[in-house]
Amino acid sequence: MNLSFAVLSDQFLLNFSYLWLIVIATTIGIIIGAMPGFGSANTIIMLLPFTLAVDIEVAMIFMVSLFVASHMGGGITSILLNIPGNGGAAATCLDGYPMARKGLGQQALVLSFVASTVGGVVTAGLSIFLLPYIARLAFYMHSVEMVVILLFGITLIASVASDNMLKGLIAGFLGLLIGAIGADHIYSTPRGTFGMIELYDGVPLIAVLIGVFAISEALKMMENDSVLDESGLEMMRKASWKQTWEGVTMAFARTWHMVWTSLVGLVIGIVPGAGASIAAFVAYQQSRLFSKTPEKYGTGIPEGVIAPESANNGVTSGDLIPMLVIGVPGGTTAAVMMIVMTYHGVQLGPRLFIQNPGIGYGVFITMLVAYAVMLFTTLPLTKYVSKLVLIPTPVLAPIIIAFTLVGAFAPRGYMFDLWLTLLFGAIGYLCRQTHFNVVALLIGVILGPLLEANVMRALRISGNDPWVFFSSTVGNVLWVALVLSLLLPSFVQWRRNRAAARMAAA
């Protein structure tokens, strides 16, 4: 692949000459990222006339900037309102929202923005210099390996349900059942659709996401006058620029944490179809596993915000690598970008880096510039954006319901999706009232269909031989890692209890 200093410097100069366009694209991306249902793919589709009319270099700068900004924007509403802007930001709710309720929303936003930037910059920088080697991972990640990776994410159900294991597992299995609705992956036989053709493609994730998080949270908000608790209100009255600096210090004190969780996002992002949701949940699960204080996760700690946000933005590079190197889009947004590039006559695959290396490597240069722009434009706003939680809930809740219902209607344009969203809103509200974990439910809905599809695909290829799941070297290494990740917490707890017993005896 033709990489030279001249190519990189030319791309940096090109991006700086279109800095105004990057500012516009990142602003749009952050706004749509914070609004559930308004994904980057839908936005780029609506703006196709612009991307098809301009030069391909300009179109790519705009699309890539908007794409990475949407990943950063999803954490804003996750932290302040417990409403994820997209599936990748759902794990951020676990610790981001508890921080906001304590009046630490400003610091949580700073942690999110810095972790997003570090995650995006680290993975984009690595992709530039290690692209030929990183791309090979896609060839080793087949259905067998994906099954184990998805099981990593599903084990998080037990982690988030640690307060009440039975209710957490019930919510997780309910999510798996909801995810099984629709035509099966082999024979296209409808399951649980009740004859409704709108459900043949499965339950739309946006309807579930908006219903169990946004609508149910808005209903829950109406029970109180404020999102904040007593101490949180006191903290917000003392809000100052000092808290922004505290957030920056907190984040960079955990630099290694940001780096390794972003690498989790990069590796998972390279697998076509995996996506930010899996990466964020797996990174959160692994962060909790290796923590010295796993019991604090879910109560509002910096690591619980950093891990999913770094991974969520580490995915951005991984999503685009398969598209550029082998011509297979890693996600929906990458597929739309592929259409634009094909229209402009760009030949994807290894030849891209020989015939037009500027476009291939320019994607990652744009990411570096876009993340730098976003960091410097978002940090000064955290003091003001965090005040969103001061809006009285009788005013805030109806606004949330109105905007999110528009987001539920937008992807498919069916009135059916609105009623489905309201149904899941009622289910989510009942779950919250009875202390069933809605995050566990969402994990089941997101990961269940992907797990089933990969299990069935692997079995079909192997002639229904169950040993196929242990036939891959990479898969076996992942199996060992999965078993260790399940046993390690018990072993660590046993050692702590033993040490405590020795101290008591002494």
Side-chain angles (χ1 to χ4, degrees), residues 184-186 451-461 469:
D184 80 86
H185 301 282
I186 301 299
L451 179 64
E452 182 194 7
N454 282 282
V455 167
M456 297 305 293
R457 190 179 299 119
L459 289 174
R460 291 285 288 179
I461 291 170
F469 297 109

Side-chain angles (χ1 to χ4, degrees), residues 359-378:
I359 292 178
Y361 289 107
V363 166
F364 304 106
I365 299 297
T366 300
M367 286 186 179
L368 294 175
V369 177
Y371 274 113
V373 167
M374 285 189 289
L375 185 65
F376 286 108
T377 54
T378 54

Side-chain angles (χ1 to χ4, degrees), residues 405-461:
L405 284 178
V406 172
F409 178 79
R412 302 201 301 177
Y414 295 164
M415 280 298 297
F416 177 84
D417 288 359
L418 291 182
W419 295 112
L420 196 63
T421 302
L422 291 173
L423 172 63
F424 279 111
I427 292 171
Y429 180 71
L430 288 174
C431 286
R432 291 179 190 274
Q433 292 295 91
T434 51
H435 305 291
F436 284 87
N437 199 297
V438 293
V439 177
L441 187 149
L442 184 66
I443 293 169
V445 174
I446 292 174
L447 304 187
L450 293 170
L451 179 64
E452 182 194 7
N454 282 282
V455 167
M456 297 305 293
R457 190 179 299 119
L459 289 174
R460 291 285 288 179
I461 291 170

Side-chain angles (χ1 to χ4, degrees), residues 1 127 130-141 266 270-272 318 321-326 353:
M1 294 187 181
S127 299
L130 301 177
L131 194 57
Y133 311 101
I134 294 174
R136 292 178 189 171
L137 283 173
F139 293 104
Y140 294 104
M141 305 301 281
L266 175 63
I270 290 169
V271 183
I321 287 173
M323 176 192 75
L324 297 170
V325 177
I326 58 177
F353 296 90

Side-chain angles (χ1 to χ4, degrees), residues 20 30 86 118 124 128 212 223 261-262 264 273 289 330-331 401 473 490:
W20 59 272
I30 288 172
N86 49 57
V118 171
I128 291 172
V212 300
E223 298 175 3
T261 49
S262 69
V264 171
L289 172 68
I401 292 172
T473 303
S490 299

Side-chain angles (χ1 to χ4, degrees), residues 285-310:
Q285 187 260 357
Q286 291 297 295
S287 174
R288 188 179 189 275
L289 172 68
F290 291 107
S291 172
K292 294 179 180 178
T293 54
E295 69 281 355
K296 291 185 179 179
Y297 277 70
T299 62
I301 62 171
E303 289 83 358
V305 176
I306 286 171
E309 284 300 304
S310 296

Side-chain angles (χ1 to χ4, degrees), residues 385-403:
V385 175
S386 63
K387 294 186 184 295
L388 180 66
V389 294
L390 292 174
I391 300 174
T393 51
V395 176
L396 187 60
I399 295 173
I400 290 171
I401 292 172
F403 271 99

Side-chain angles (χ1 to χ4, degrees), residues 142-154 450-459 469 478-479 482:
H142 305 299
S143 298
V144 171
E145 291 78 14
M146 277 300 297
V147 167
V148 192
I149 289 173
L150 288 164
L151 287 174
F152 269 104
I154 287 177
L450 293 170
L451 179 64
E452 182 194 7
N454 282 282
V455 167
M456 297 305 293
R457 190 179 299 119
L459 289 174
F469 297 109
L478 290 172
W479 276 116
L482 176 62

